Amino acid sequence: MVMSQEVDIRGARVFSGLTPDDFDALAQAGRRESYRPGETVFSGNLRAQSFFVIADGGVEVYRREIDGSQTVLARLGRGAAFGEAALLDGRPRKALGIAKGTTTCWVLDAGGLARLRAEQPVAATHLLANLARGMAYRLNRASTQATRVVDGRRTDSFSHGSSGVRRSLLDRLFGR
Amino acid sequence: MKNFLPYLKTLAFFEGLRDAEILGLAERFPRRRLADGEVLYEVGDPAGSAFVVVRGQIEVLSEGGQRISVAAAGDVVGLHELFRDEPRNLTTRAIGETGLFEIDRAVFAEACEARQPLDVVLVDRVAHFLAVKLRQMDGILEEVDPHVHAPVAVHAPKVDALEFKSHDRSADKVAPRPVKKRRWWQRKRTADDELQDRITELADKAGLTEIDSVKVRYGSEQPLHNNPSSMIRRG
């Protein structure tokens, strides 16, 4: 896919398996956006329902703490994709994304996805399937950790909280 | 299936879909019925289908047999296992008589190829539910262990390179959740609704008509459109 303004992200993992026709459809549905160094890429309701693929540059993702400080959650580079959950469930983001250096992204927002679904359902299906596969992978890992907590098996990354807290939280996870 | 449309529209899985899409999907899903206590799948079973809970409840059990949660009508169990090849790591079991729509693993894989018009709807619903559950998990991981942050990117080329830094735990305070008030007919279906369904079921067994069963529930006739689930007949 050669997006407008020479954004080329065909090699991004999130697009694996897509056909040339799919890329043409995606090029129409999404748009190119550039950010200056230090510019906010997404925050709270800013581009809340947008999915990003980094074509050039990088994005640092922060979590805002209660005391006003920021904790780095991730540093993402070219080819990284993020925001698929926000694109699909439409809830405001809790994290904050800042461009590191001049950054260019391919952006698909909820309106673009709706158009893609309506006008190019095949491309939309292929993209959604790839997004779902990635989310399922993450959810599976997290679920495994969660069940270990319930069975009293400590894990390195999911080992705190009282049993009552765990139970109520897990109820939320599994759809109570 | 058209008779069930008002009820199906109340289920979260079909939220936002057009009538024709709901009916199309519902007719495409094989239906499963489980008796009280019957196991849907258990730890060690080969990876397989996901299931939309249409009626009743499914309890989710850990490998050690601990109840993790209960999935009520409208929810989906086994969703992330549509994509993985490892054996099941959870056991699911019916609470009461339970009705399910099956999202067959092979059928879903075909849907990802987008050969039929409804494929995009099915894949979209699965992706949407995965997103919702993933967001819930992000919050859960933060609350259970504030030192751990769920990764924000799925397709980062080097996931291992993501940085997860600890921070001062004393600064973590979970903000109270805003209470969203809804009128009773606007509520999502919950476990409490299952009790009402049980009353309807008993009314059916007693040979009461649909309108009678509504009276049994609420003491006086209510407009059916306010409570679509009351229109569902058992059997």
Side-chain angles (χ1 to χ4, degrees):
Chain A
M1 162 174 34
V2 178
M3 298 295 183
S4 59
Q5 308 296 314
E6 299 176 358
V7 176
D8 190 345
I9 48 174
R10 280 171 292 190
R13 192 170 152 195
V14 70
F15 295 132
S16 62
L18 266 60
T19 66
D21 287 345
D22 293 337
F23 285 125
D24 288 342
L26 292 178
Q28 298 296 319
R31 63 182 184 276
R32 166 193 182 269
E33 288 191 358
S34 290
Y35 313 98
R36 295 183 299 277
E39 187 176 348
T40 300
V41 178
F42 64 85
S43 169
N45 287 316
L46 175 65
R47 303 187 186 96
Q49 282 187 272
S50 295
F51 169 66
F52 300 83
V53 181
I54 300 175
D56 198 19
V59 174
E60 274 192 347
V61 182
Y62 298 87
R63 185 171 94 164
R64 281 173 288 211
E65 308 297 352
I66 294 173
D67 63 5
S69 64
Q70 295 177 346
T71 304
V72 178
L73 298 183
R75 294 195 173 95
L76 307 173
R78 182 186 174 115
F82 54 95
E84 63 282 13
L87 170 71
L88 291 164
D89 79 357
R91 292 174 57 193
R93 297 173 194 275
K94 291 198 295 186
L96 167 74
I98 303 290
K100 305 308 288 183
T102 301
T103 299
T104 303
C105 291
W106 177 74
V107 184
L108 179 67
D109 60 23
L113 179 61
R115 282 197 307 278
L116 189 68
R117 268 194 54 174
E119 298 167 10
Q120 301 287 345
V122 174
T125 305
H126 291 165
L127 177 65
L128 286 166
N130 278 5
L131 296 180
R133 187 173 293 108
M135 289 188 290
Y137 172 76
R138 289 168 61 194
L139 189 60
N140 186 54
R141 276 202 322 180
S143 298
T144 301
Q145 289 178 322
T147 55
R148 284 177 179 164
V149 171
V150 172
D151 285 344
R153 288 174 285 165
R154 288 175 64 91
T155 65
D156 290 340
S157 57
F158 200 82
S159 56
H160 298 275
S162 69
S163 60
V165 170
R166 289 174 200 156
R167 179 57 46 85
S168 64
L169 294 170
L170 290 165
D171 277 347
R172 286 172 42 211
L173 163 65
F174 287 94
R176 176 76 168 163
Chain B
M1 188 60 76
K2 275 187 177 177
N3 294 337
F4 291 87
L5 182 61
Y7 175 73
L8 295 178
K9 288 169 83 167
T10 69
L11 300 179
F13 186 80
F14 296 108
E15 188 177 338
L17 298 186
R18 293 194 294 268
D19 290 359
E21 292 173 334
I22 295 173
L23 290 172
L25 285 183
E27 285 168 359
R28 186 166 166 182
F29 294 139
R31 275 167 268 176
R32 291 274 296 271
R33 172 174 284 191
L34 300 179
D36 183 25
E38 192 173 346
V39 171
L40 178 59
Y41 57 80
E42 56 190 343
V43 173
D45 283 354
S49 306
F51 297 89
V52 182
V53 182
V54 178
R55 173 194 171 204
Q57 294 176 314
I58 291 287
E59 65 176 339
V60 181
L61 306 170
S62 70
E63 193 175 345
Q66 299 287 317
R67 181 193 279 192
I68 294 172
S69 66
V70 176
D75 204 346
V76 189
V77 293
L79 198 55
H80 58 277
E81 298 187 355
L82 285 173
F83 294 92
R84 66 186 218 132
D85 296 321
E86 293 85 10
R88 306 259 194 192
N89 59 359
L90 294 168
T91 294
T92 51
R93 190 167 60 190
I95 301 176
E97 190 179 341
T98 300
L100 304 159
F101 285 149
E102 179 176 359
I103 306 175
D104 183 81
R105 183 181 166 89
V107 169
F108 181 74
E110 276 185 28
C112 290
E113 300 297 320
R115 296 197 179 103
Q116 299 181 42
L118 272 178
D119 286 346
V120 67
V121 179
L122 175 58
V123 176
D124 179 73
R125 292 320 293 166
V126 167
H128 178 87
F129 258 68
L130 280 165
V132 170
K133 288 186 179 279
L134 198 54
R135 292 268 236 167
Q136 289 171 346
M137 176 55 88
D138 284 352
I140 286 166
L141 287 172
E142 283 181 14
E143 289 180 38
V144 173
D145 188 346
H147 291 245
V148 174
H149 304 286
V152 296
V154 175
H155 299 285
K158 295 180 181 175
V159 176
D160 293 339
L162 300 183
E163 291 195 2
F164 300 95
K165 290 187 177 177
S166 298
H167 64 279
D168 182 5
R169 178 175 275 205
S170 64
D172 287 300
K173 289 180 182 175
V174 179
R177 296 179 171 279
V179 178
K180 192 174 180 182
K181 291 185 178 177
R182 293 181 172 181
R183 305 298 295 270
W184 63 269
W185 63 82
Q186 294 174 319
R187 283 188 297 112
K188 296 283 183 195
R189 286 184 58 79
T190 66
D192 292 338
D193 295 322
E194 299 307 319
L195 179 61
Q196 295 185 347
D197 277 358
R198 178 69 177 152
I199 294 173
T200 306
E201 189 178 338
L202 291 172
D204 279 349
K205 284 182 180 174
L208 301 176
T209 66
E210 291 173 0
I211 296 300
D212 287 334
S213 69
V214 174
K215 285 181 184 173
V216 169
R217 281 185 177 189
Y218 302 107
S220 62
E221 279 189 30
Q222 299 286 327
L224 283 175
H225 69 267
N226 277 352
N227 184 18
S229 64
S230 67
M231 286 186 281
I232 297 301
R233 298 301 303 264
R234 306 295 173 207

